[in-house]
Amino acid sequence: SHRWTTRDVSIVSAQVAGERADPQAPAAPATRRRRRLTPRQRNAIVFGVIALAFLIPLRGLLRSQGPPMEEGFMLVFPERLLNGDLPNRDFLHLYGPGSLWVLAGVFKVFGTSLTAERLVALLQQIGVVMGVYALARHWGRTVALPCALISLVIIVPPIGLTALGWVGAVALGLLGMAVALDGRRISDPRRAGRYVLLGGVLLGFALLYRLDLILAVGLAVLVMLRGLDRA
């Protein structure tokens, strides 16, 4: 003969669901969804981690002694270039002239100094790490960040801050590949063409640094040209 009211039904339902059935308690507010980070915030975190990894050893690298012969070359040869000497006529230089031209331009503006040479070396190493990150980014940030940090560990401790032509060539090659491959993903033909052209220019400058990268650059160009239209 007992009549079930709406209130009784709600209390029994709450007990079955394992919740507290206190008729005097106010209704619990709806749970808020966790706020997800925006792509810009995620990029900021990733680049912040990479920047921190560079900054931690930077002071020691700027103050420590580098490899005498290699660092001596990268100080003396660009200075001789500014004085009118030419590579392989007035002094022996087994690699491309690109690294010497860049360092000579930096020394012309900021003066010939160990600090200027090492800052150029730092930019080259940043180029390598960011090139690796840009290529691995196609598989997501979770893959790209460890790849970038591993490349940093591989390239920075062994040579310190020495503006070697090899490091500059690898940096330009990786960045050229990354830019050109990004161009393949762009639907606008004109904008995609600019990306591919910039990628080719960067790969060309990589060969100015080290001509022995021709095999790697040639294979990269074959990959990038596959599936593209003639233009």
Side-chain angles (χ1 to χ4, degrees):
S1 62
H2 180 70
R3 255 180 143 176
W4 289 88
T5 63
T6 305
R7 182 178 173 186
D8 296 329
V9 172
S10 63
I11 294 173
V12 173
S13 300
Q15 290 175 340
V16 172
E19 300 174 357
R20 295 182 61 186
D22 184 2
Q24 304 299 328
T31 56
R32 295 181 180 178
R33 294 181 179 179
R34 290 186 64 183
R35 184 182 176 186
R36 294 185 177 181
L37 296 175
T38 64
R40 181 176 295 181
Q41 291 172 330
R42 294 175 185 174
N43 287 333
I45 293 173
V46 168
F47 295 144
V49 171
I50 295 175
L52 181 62
F54 270 108
L55 289 173
I56 289 173
L58 183 58
R59 184 172 181 272
L61 291 173
L62 287 171
R63 296 166 64 90
S64 64
Q65 178 180 340
M69 184 176 69
E70 287 80 0
E71 197 159 46
F73 285 161
M74 307 319 291
L75 283 169
V76 174
F77 288 171
E79 189 175 24
R80 292 191 64 176
L81 202 64
L82 291 175
N83 293 329
D85 292 346
L86 291 178
N88 297 320
R89 188 193 71 178
D90 302 302
F91 58 90
L92 178 64
H93 183 64
L94 300 176
Y95 313 114
S99 59
L100 299 185
W101 291 345
V102 170
L103 283 169
V106 172
F107 292 168
K108 182 73 173 178
V109 175
F110 299 103
T112 304
S113 68
L114 197 62
T115 301
E117 182 263 337
R118 291 186 173 184
L119 290 178
V120 172
L122 177 63
L123 291 177
Q124 292 183 170
Q125 292 175 354
I126 292 174
V128 171
V129 173
M130 296 311 300
V132 170
Y133 176 83
L135 289 175
R137 179 66 179 82
H138 295 275
W139 289 272
R141 296 182 187 87
T142 307
V143 174
L145 179 58
C147 289
L149 295 177
I150 290 170
S151 66
L152 187 151
V153 171
I154 291 173
I155 197 68
V156 174
I159 63 172
L161 292 181
T162 305
L164 299 177
W166 175 254
V167 180
V170 172
L172 290 168
L174 291 171
L175 291 172
M177 287 179 58
V179 171
L181 289 175
D182 279 343
R184 292 172 58 95
R185 305 171 65 185
I186 298 174
S187 57
D188 182 10
R190 294 186 63 183
R191 188 160 165 247
R194 295 191 192 114
Y195 271 70
V196 176
L197 179 61
L198 176 59
V201 170
L202 291 173
L203 290 173
F205 277 112
L207 295 181
L208 277 177
Y209 273 65
R210 292 287 298 245
L211 189 60
D212 49 345
L213 272 181
I214 184 65
L215 181 61
V217 169
L219 292 174
V221 169
L222 290 178
V223 172
M224 289 183 293
L225 289 179
R226 184 181 178 185
L228 292 180
D229 57 23
R230 186 173 178 179

